[in-house]
Amino acid sequence: MLEAVGAATVEELFDIPPAIEFDGAFGIDARSERETRRLVRSMLDRNDTLTELLGRGHYGYYIPSLVDHLADRSEFLTSYTQYQPEVSQGFLQVLFEYQSLLVELTGLEIANCSMYDAATALGEAATLAERVRETSGHRVLVPDRLLEGRRSTLENYVAGTDLVVEEYPLDDGVVDLEALEGMVDEDVVMLYAENPTVRGTIEEGLESIGDLATAHDALYVLGSDPIALSLLQRPADVGADVVVGDASVLGLPTSYGMGLGLFATREDFLRQVPGRLVGVSEDATDRRAYTLTLQTREQHIRRERATSNICTNQAWVALRTAIHAASLGPHGMVDLAKRGVTRAEDLAEHLDEMTGVAAPVHDRRHFREFVAHVDQPAAPIAEDLERRGFAVHVVGEHEIQVCVAGVSDAKLERFVAAFKEVVQ
Amino acid sequence: MLEAVGAATVEELFDIPPAIEFDGAFGIDARSERETRRLVRSMLDRNDTLTELLGRGHYGYYIPSLVDHLADRSEFLTSYTQYQPEVSQGFLQVLFEYQSLLVELTGLEIANCSMYDAATALGEAATLAERVRETSGHRVLVPDRLLEGRRSTLENYVAGTDLVVEEYPLDDGVVDLEALEGMVDEDVVMLYAENPTVRGTIEEGLESIGDLATAHDALYVLGSDPIALSLLQRPADVGADVVVGDASVLGLPTSYGMGLGLFATREDFLRQVPGRLVGVSEDATDRRAYTLTLQTREQHIRRERATSNICTNQAWVALRTAIHAASLGPHGMVDLAKRGVTRAEDLAEHLDEMTGVAAPVHDRRHFREFVAHVDQPAAPIAEDLERRGFAVHVVGEHEIQVCVAGVSDAKLERFVAAFKEVVQ
Amino acid sequence: QYEPLLAEKDQTRVEIGDDDDSPLPDDLTRDSLELPELSEPELARHYTRLSQMIYGIDSGPYPLGSCTMKYNPKFTEDVAALPSAAVHPDRSERSTQGSLELMYRLQDYLGRIGGMDAVTLQPPAGAAGEFVGIRVAAAYHEHNGEGHRDEVIIPDSAHGTNFATAALGGYDVVSLPSDEDGRVDLEALEAALSENTAALMLTNPNTLGLFERDITEIAEMVHDVGGLLYYDGANLNALLGRARPGDMGFDVMHYNVHKTFATPHGGGGPGAGPVGVVSELAPFLPSPRVRESEDGASEPSYELFEPDHTIGKVHGFQGNWLVLVKTFAYIARLGDAGLADASAKAVLNANYLASQIGYDVPYEPFHHEFVASAGEQDAADVAKRMLDYGVHPPTTKWPEIVPEALMTEPTEVESKATLDRLAAAFNAVADEADGALEAAPNRTTARRIDQTSAARNPRLSWHALEDE
Amino acid sequence: QYEPLLAEKDQTRVEIGDDDDSPLPDDLTRDSLELPELSEPELARHYTRLSQMIYGIDSGPYPLGSCTMKYNPKFTEDVAALPSAAVHPDRSERSTQGSLELMYRLQDYLGRIGGMDAVTLQPPAGAAGEFVGIRVAAAYHEHNGEGHRDEVIIPDSAHGTNFATAALGGYDVVSLPSDEDGRVDLEALEAALSENTAALMLTNPNTLGLFERDITEIAEMVHDVGGLLYYDGANLNALLGRARPGDMGFDVMHYNVHKTFATPHGGGGPGAGPVGVVSELAPFLPSPRVRESEDGASEPSYELFEPDHTIGKVHGFQGNWLVLVKTFAYIARLGDAGLADASAKAVLNANYLASQIGYDVPYEPFHHEFVASAGEQDAADVAKRMLDYGVHPPTTKWPEIVPEALMTEPTEVESKATLDRLAAAFNAVADEADGALEAAPNRTTARRIDQTSAARNPRLSWHALEDE
């Protein structure tokens, strides 16, 4: 090969000025495949094995074995973005089916085929609001208990705009409608609410919030996820303009924060949607074919006038989510959601029976998780529980939040026993 | 569907006399997929995690990740025997390549595409000997230290014939040529030797044994495996008529005895070979195509005159072995074999340095494993080692056998330290 | 589309013995080794491409009568891949309680399912299971001073392995014709039975899918002459939870785990062929088996043991262990209800499919499989042509009692939509002319393959191709 | 061949709220959910079939210039699948020392490889890395009272993400033309730089594969006006072990782990775009980062911390963690020698391939990629036609500096045999008439797809198809 290119050595082919040449000594040792696996395994073994009752956006639902086996097929794992649709029909169809799943769940007409996670999807919703706003407004309203990752990411996304993020209060776990009403005016371009809320309560005023947003020409953005959406009010029915969230509650285990940004919106905003869209077309023989479409919105064509800078997104995670949803089917999804309600209620009841514990603290309906009040300081209780193999959230000086998703009945029983010992 | 078949219930379709109907109550509980996985995992977790220095036919060589990823492709895993070769070309080619690997390793012209394991391959070799014998003889000679599983299986395979199995002595770890010479006569139809021997020694008299067999018209059957064959004398060069063994030293972890019967032989015996053979042919467009061939030897056509009763064999394991061998390549295979010699020598040296230990007991060259003499009783030493996380063989009152294959240098070091503590 | 052989991509010869680093003297080593040396990406592409040239159960329906190809639930692969499943066969019993417990419980499950008193898991495939059955029968007769019994009776429609196994066991085979209904001809059986009868091997439902209604009588007849009744488990999936070989009078049986319990077939194995026996035969089973040990610990513990009059081994250790793990997981997942549901759907699917195809099905009432006749068409050609419709054909030309047999078993896993697709393929081919059939297949990786040329000029390795 | 949509196989509507077992009052629930309900075998076949309609890196060469498609070593999947890797992001630091150690060591590796002082692993893709870079630059300028800087300079041949990211960050984009050699035009740069310059974004080697020889001078010029120099890591694989952005004067850079370190692309993600910065910028990096903690334990322990002037977060937690695990494993496997070998082979392969094809390659000396010109042919048509030869085509029509560009990057993983096959495909297409090109592809799952129709009549879900 060197002969063919007319070089005596490979080094000749590099055109690097001597002054900035590097000698290659990073100080990184090479290892065999086996040694590398052993190294990573021994490192990760330093993670304690805990039963996680954490929730708050990431859930350990059981993932059917089928999902791994199919998603790991190398054609899925090792292909590129579908710029040559003629040899990518399989992946495009999966993404189209993923979009369809979200359309069914949200009731909105359009879903893109992924953002990075809920936080960045929220950020993109704000830039969408900026692009489509009908007023000169600049206020973005979010709940005061918004997860820090979402709040901070949103701030970064609007940093290059004239939007400002402001908080409205959650009262007793749900939106304080009265307070919100007092805050909304024509200057508001986007109003964000979540269902369930970060404290696990099921929001009761979704339609009223939507009415408020509509009355003031603000974009109504709703945060949720596919399991919650299987049972709770359909966003389209409460007037939502955009739905964001983390779709990886299906398809991914708790992966240290890795996610899958769900983004669905109304048809009106078709040309302003961020991210990739798969559409249907025909090939030269008039057969149905799938393709990435409306690419003129995207950075590789529109450059600085693109609807987003996103390029590589979370396609393979969307595939996993689609397969997981398909293997649950509609009955499985609805059942899983229902159990999220009943099992949380059951657990709350068990905790509530203990002296010095009141659960749930909010007199609301809960989905999957809830906050418990503990008379003793919460932090030492959580530490004690961790020593006994359970991870829970401390969300206030005397408040602990727990989540039942993905935790087996047997483990919940052991958790109740451990909790009892700890608070006694 | 019931309507189409004209039945009111599925039960109507069953034609089982009432007297022998069963009510279906096996007393086996159904479980969710998740619970089933948990059940099996918790059961198997009762297996202690030990570093295995066991060998003697089963080895824990590192299996590259590539092997699992490719072999687990469902087309390989879920297809049937290739009776419709037009839709099975991929698997047939893999089996053809597997046969070619064995042909290269043994130097013999024919290899089938698998028997169950080394023991059954040895049994099949004996029935081959019976079919092709040129004398009226009936003696089958095997080494006196033959693994019990092989010996016993062989006995069952010849139980329906007039062959009898007799033992010749291994002296100081290798074949006692003088004793063997005294035993061989015209009545011997098969002479079986192994390289390496069960005690890890490299057989030095392979050619002489072959000469003995040939001189008496006996089939010379050699036991070995693909790693040993990569370095040690080529069976064809020492006159072997048949090579048997366990090919799963490549491709399978130690799987509680699961194996892959290697079976290669000379072209002369083509019509008498047991098991499946893949050959090359052409399709209707004259392109090369693979197919199962010489099926008239097999049970589904020849019935009671078949060369064997084998039907389902170990095709998928052969696939794994082929991929493992391919990923090592010839350099990798030879290197792995060489390290089997040097690392065993190193370990023997370390053990030999200890007071009360002599290793190896045989003044021979060793492959992968060797026997050590311990002054103290061997059994308690092995038990003590097991408590320290190491599994070794007790092969005599004062003899322990150890194997280095697949054990990392770091673990061997720890083993030496543990051994020292135990014998002190 | 054509994928070259590995050896056509690379051949690298490694010389041994002439370099400094060989740890052995030349006379103990080979001279060289010549094999392909390819990178991981090249190998990944090679095998990925080859896999794409294979029709598997994940490609579509696979209605091979009697061979039984079911969909294999993916999760069983995961449990078999657990690192804790990978232990050496010579490990101590105290350090392998997990493996022993799984085997113990699987022995128990299988005993219940077959109505058998004792089970060995050792046979690595169905044919090996048959061999164990025949060897156990021989040992039993020998033990009872009846070593003279040298005949095994087998219906002419039986699997080839039955005949080959009996022969391997040293028995003379007495072939039994079917009666006009397709079942065992009792008169012919009467004539075949004698004091030389060691055993009758039977499949029930038989290969026509018909239940042997006279099974109780057959059992009596065999037992009356001192013979044993062997159950070939190939069709047990038709009876799961509805009838048990033990209750029918069978003395010994094998289970085909891929046919009855959906472990993957792997393109020809590994399988497992556990054998169940009634208590009288238990002492003759292969060694070792697993039992609870009586060490009085809080957790039950298990040990290996050697049956009193064991025939010894038919495999180096305990057969295809990883397949047994999958089998256990499959049964534990389904439970009583799931197992009975499997046979219900298998039988319904077979009956539905038969009702939708134009080919004649001469024998009924069938259970999980039926044998249609291709009539004037050549059944093998029908099969090749079906490949063009993207489905796998049934087993053909067997059993011979049906002319141009199309032995069809859709199994319980197929949906109505798939059965309809399969029926459409049958019916499309049924309407085609012989010419179209003989020219088939056209849409497969390879076109019709010349079997004669392969056998006449055997080329069984890439070395053989080099000479061309 | 055509695979129906899941919804064409089944649609099952579940009504909610009108049954007894709904745990919620009707006004808190939706009315119904209608989705496909299919069995595991049906799903396995659906996705298996779909996978077979995809060209992946395991199918053959994928020479997408600048996109960089490398073979992904399989073992990295296994480490990412370890159960111990699956932890919740809100777990305590003391219970996740393993994850923290891996991140700490990966930060360290990446810092060494890029010649950077501090690294954040948070950005979930390259574009997100760019965004962090731009936000960090903005925060730095703001912190120094230079908040007025509102321009980012970008060469016209740069990736679209550079422009979109600068815009998302609120900057005006100043586009920079190339000189006639295909590199940064220093005079144009001089003209573009001003006291309003926040940063210059540069790829090196640039998209033509050419090394920006004047990089030291460029860095001086940018720094002289108080701007920062941003390195787009898309082409870092060309320099591994031979030159480092930090040594060239870059202040901030992102790494594309799939391009440089062979993590799988997954059909469009998940990726990871870690960002490295010089020490002056470290206080502005996203929060949290990982550092060794000083608790004096025997084993080193790790903790999260918030950089002093952090820009906050650009992702809910730490980006695509599982991708980071694969990245770490890949780097730890290769080590110094393997990394340098990768760039050597990448550059040799590009040069060899270019030497074997008939198309003109106007700019050189290129490194890991080259841009050929299809000349009179339409580059997009060339690409479609190459599909017919069983290989994936290069990136086309970009950068625009080369007419009908074929931007080609074979990467280090391809063997000479594969490069020869790829060259043969290029050359076959080069000799063909426009008609053949326009009619292509013919041997793919779908023929040429009508893009206009897809955009004019957007049908983005199966619901949209129902109306048809």
Side-chain angles (χ1 to χ4, degrees), chain D residues 143-227:
Chain D
H143 183 79
N144 294 332
E146 309 241 327
H148 65 277
R149 293 178 181 271
D150 60 358
E151 291 177 358
V152 170
I153 306 173
I154 305 173
D156 55 8
S157 66
H159 301 105
T161 48
N162 287 183
F163 302 91
T165 301
L168 176 60
Y171 285 100
D172 292 333
V173 173
V174 179
S175 187
L176 194 66
S178 308
D179 70 7
E180 58 189 11
D181 291 336
R183 297 189 180 79
V184 169
D185 183 327
L186 292 189
E187 279 179 38
L189 176 60
E190 186 69 52
L193 288 166
S194 75
E195 77 280 358
N196 291 325
T197 302
L200 166 64
M201 299 179 85
L202 216 56
T203 311
N204 193 14
N206 65 24
T207 46
L208 293 169
L210 310 181
F211 195 87
E212 297 285 354
R213 292 187 188 127
D214 303 321
I215 186 61
T216 313
E217 195 175 344
I218 291 170
E220 270 179 34
M221 289 165 68
V222 173
H223 291 154
D224 280 350
V225 299

Side-chain angles (χ1 to χ4, degrees), chain D residues 128-440:
Chain D
E130 294 177 23
F131 186 51
V132 164
I134 287 298
R135 288 289 305 134
V136 163
Y140 168 81
H141 289 311
E142 189 74 38
H143 183 79
N144 294 332
E146 309 241 327
H148 65 277
R149 293 178 181 271
D150 60 358
E151 291 177 358
V152 170
I153 306 173
I154 305 173
D156 55 8
S157 66
H159 301 105
T161 48
N162 287 183
F163 302 91
T165 301
L168 176 60
Y171 285 100
D172 292 333
V173 173
V174 179
S175 187
L176 194 66
S178 308
D179 70 7
E180 58 189 11
D181 291 336
R183 297 189 180 79
V184 169
D185 183 327
L186 292 189
E187 279 179 38
L189 176 60
E190 186 69 52
L193 288 166
S194 75
E195 77 280 358
N196 291 325
T197 302
L200 166 64
M201 299 179 85
L202 216 56
T203 311
N204 193 14
N206 65 24
T207 46
L208 293 169
L210 310 181
F211 195 87
E212 297 285 354
R213 292 187 188 127
D214 303 321
I215 186 61
T216 313
E217 195 175 344
I218 291 170
E220 270 179 34
M221 289 165 68
V222 173
H223 291 154
D224 280 350
V225 299
L228 294 171
L229 193 57
Y230 181 93
Y231 183 82
D232 178 329
N235 296 340
L236 181 61
N237 54 323
L239 302 184
L240 279 173
R242 292 160 200 283
R244 308 194 301 175
D247 301 337
M248 300 176 204
F250 285 94
D251 304 294
V252 48
M253 68 176 289
H254 79 266
Y255 306 75
N256 287 92
V257 303
H258 97 266
K259 298 180 184 182
T260 307
F261 305 116
T263 58
H265 195 266
V275 167
V277 295
V278 295
S279 55
E280 291 81 355
L281 298 179
F284 304 95
L285 283 176
S287 171
R289 289 179 58 224
V290 183
R291 65 181 171 205
E292 277 197 81
S293 64
E294 297 166 4
D295 65 355
S298 59
E299 228 180 348
S301 64
Y302 304 89
E303 64 187 8
L304 296 170
F305 74 101
E306 178 165 318
D308 290 343
H309 309 299
T310 181
I311 61 163
K313 288 176 186 285
V314 293
H315 183 272
F317 187 58
Q318 282 285 26
N320 284 322
W321 157 250
L322 296 178
V323 178
L324 299 173
V325 175
K326 297 178 195 181
T327 307
F328 176 83
Y330 179 90
I331 298 173
R333 169 89 176 88
L334 262 62
D336 288 7
L339 292 167
D341 194 48
S343 60
K345 287 194 177 133
V347 172
L348 176 59
N349 279 356
N351 279 271
Y352 176 76
L353 179 61
S355 77
Q356 301 300 304
I357 69 170
Y359 289 111
D360 181 42
V361 181
Y363 295 95
E364 48 175 26
F366 48 82
H367 287 76
H368 65 301
E369 69 185 2
F370 60 86
V371 183
S373 172
E376 299 297 306
Q377 293 180 322
D378 184 296
D381 288 344
V382 168
K384 295 299 178 199
R385 184 60 177 150
M386 284 183 75
L387 294 173
D388 281 337
Y389 290 90
V391 299
H392 200 283
T395 304
T396 58
K397 303 239 180 195
W398 184 75
E400 284 151 12
I401 186 172
V402 173
E404 298 302 330
L406 299 168
M407 189 190 205
T408 310
E409 179 178 1
T411 83
E412 73 271 18
V413 302
E414 302 304 345
S415 64
K416 180 174 175 301
T418 303
L419 296 174
D420 288 339
R421 204 178 122 222
L422 195 50
F426 269 107
N427 294 333
V429 175
D431 290 341
E432 289 184 311
D434 287 351
L437 271 51
E438 282 159 20

Side-chain angles (χ1 to χ4, degrees), chain C residues 238-253:
Chain C
L239 303 183
L240 279 173
R242 290 159 202 284
R244 308 195 301 175
D247 301 337
M248 300 176 205
F250 285 95
D251 305 295
V252 48
M253 68 176 288

Side-chain angles (χ1 to χ4, degrees), chain B residues 130-162:
Chain B
E130 202 220 359
R131 288 193 297 279
V132 304
R133 62 183 166 183
E134 293 173 4
T135 70
S136 58
H138 63 279
R139 299 171 66 206
V140 171
L141 298 187
V142 302
D144 58 359
R145 288 186 188 275
L146 185 60
L147 287 173
E148 188 251 343
R150 293 183 189 181
R151 161 81 199 222
S152 180
T153 301
L154 174 61
E155 297 273 13
N156 268 310
Y157 269 81
V158 303
T161 69
D162 60 359

Side-chain angles (χ1 to χ4, degrees), chain A residues 43-48 256, chain D residues 91-104 290-291 293 295 299-304:
Chain A
M43 210 186 290
L44 291 179
D45 278 348
R46 294 185 65 191
N47 286 343
D48 299 338
Y256 211 42
Chain D
R91 288 263 297 259
S92 69
E93 292 168 35
R94 69 182 164 270
S95 76
T96 50
Q97 285 295 305
S99 297
L100 292 173
E101 179 176 352
L102 190 144
M103 295 215 297
Y104 179 79
V290 183
R291 65 181 171 205
S293 64
D295 65 355
E299 228 180 348
S301 64
Y302 304 89
E303 64 187 8
L304 296 170

Side-chain angles (χ1 to χ4, degrees), chain B residues 46 48 256 281 288 365, chain C residues 8 23 87 91 101 135 450:
Chain B
R46 293 185 66 190
D48 299 337
Y256 211 41
S281 186
R288 186 199 292 170
R365 304 308 300 261
Chain C
E8 290 167 333
V87 295
R91 287 263 298 258
E101 178 175 353
R135 289 288 306 132
D450 184 350

Side-chain angles (χ1 to χ4, degrees), chain A residues 117-375:
Chain A
D117 72 344
T120 58
L122 178 59
E124 297 274 10
T127 72
L128 173 69
E130 201 219 0
R131 288 194 296 279
V132 303
R133 62 183 165 184
E134 293 173 2
T135 68
S136 57
H138 63 279
R139 297 172 67 205
V140 172
L141 297 188
V142 302
D144 56 1
R145 288 186 187 276
L146 186 60
L147 288 171
E148 189 250 343
R150 295 184 186 180
R151 160 83 200 222
S152 180
T153 301
L154 174 61
E155 297 273 12
N156 268 309
Y157 270 81
V158 302
T161 69
D162 59 1
L163 301 184
V164 292
V165 179
E166 294 175 28
E167 293 176 348
Y168 65 82
L170 287 188
D171 177 39
D172 195 24
V174 296
V175 172
D176 182 337
L177 274 173
E178 209 169 317
L180 181 61
E181 206 168 339
M183 288 179 70
V184 181
D185 59 23
E186 300 308 314
D187 202 23
V188 173
V189 297
M190 165 172 153
L191 177 51
Y192 176 65
E194 294 180 341
N195 189 30
T197 71
V198 68
R199 288 165 80 87
T201 53
I202 298 173
E203 183 60 58
E204 291 155 21
L206 288 179
E207 218 168 332
S208 308
I209 304 168
D211 291 344
L212 262 181
T214 310
H216 296 86
D217 280 335
L219 214 60
Y220 182 20
V221 179
L222 207 54
S224 194
D225 68 82
I227 296 297
L229 291 171
S230 301
L231 179 65
L232 305 186
Q233 282 179 284
R234 199 171 72 136
D237 296 336
V238 298
D241 297 299
V242 179
V243 178
V244 297
D246 226 318
S248 65
V249 294
L250 287 177
L252 273 192
T254 56
S255 303
Y256 211 42
M258 183 164 168
L260 169 61
L262 180 172
F263 195 99
T265 188
R266 292 199 284 119
E267 203 155 21
D268 314 31
F269 304 138
L270 180 62
R271 311 272 156 184
Q272 291 299 335
V273 173
R276 299 231 150 94
L277 295 170
V278 176
V280 164
S281 186
E282 295 76 35
D283 75 358
T285 61
D286 284 331
R287 289 168 60 116
R288 185 200 291 169
Y290 304 90
T291 181
L292 293 175
T293 191
L294 299 166
Q295 294 189 59
T296 49
R297 296 167 300 109
E298 292 189 62
Q299 46 73 28
H300 63 284
I301 292 179
R302 188 61 65 88
R303 296 192 164 195
E304 62 266 35
R305 286 178 307 282
T307 57
S308 169
N309 73 330
I310 197 166
C311 178
T312 293
N313 44 88
Q314 304 285 103
W316 185 72
V317 186
L319 161 76
R320 295 183 59 95
T321 298
I323 302 177
H324 191 172
S327 60
L328 285 170
H331 279 100
M333 290 177 69
V334 171
D335 286 350
L336 195 55
K338 285 179 177 173
R339 286 204 304 273
V341 174
T342 53
R343 298 177 80 233
E345 278 174 4
D346 285 353
L347 178 61
E349 211 167 294
H350 278 103
L351 298 188
D352 198 51
E353 284 166 5
M354 300 176 195
T355 318
V357 183
V361 295
H362 303 299
D363 186 20
R364 305 281 174 191
R365 306 307 301 259
H366 286 79
F367 191 80
R368 206 160 42 193
E369 56 202 307
F370 60 87
V371 175
H373 171 91
V374 284
D375 289 350

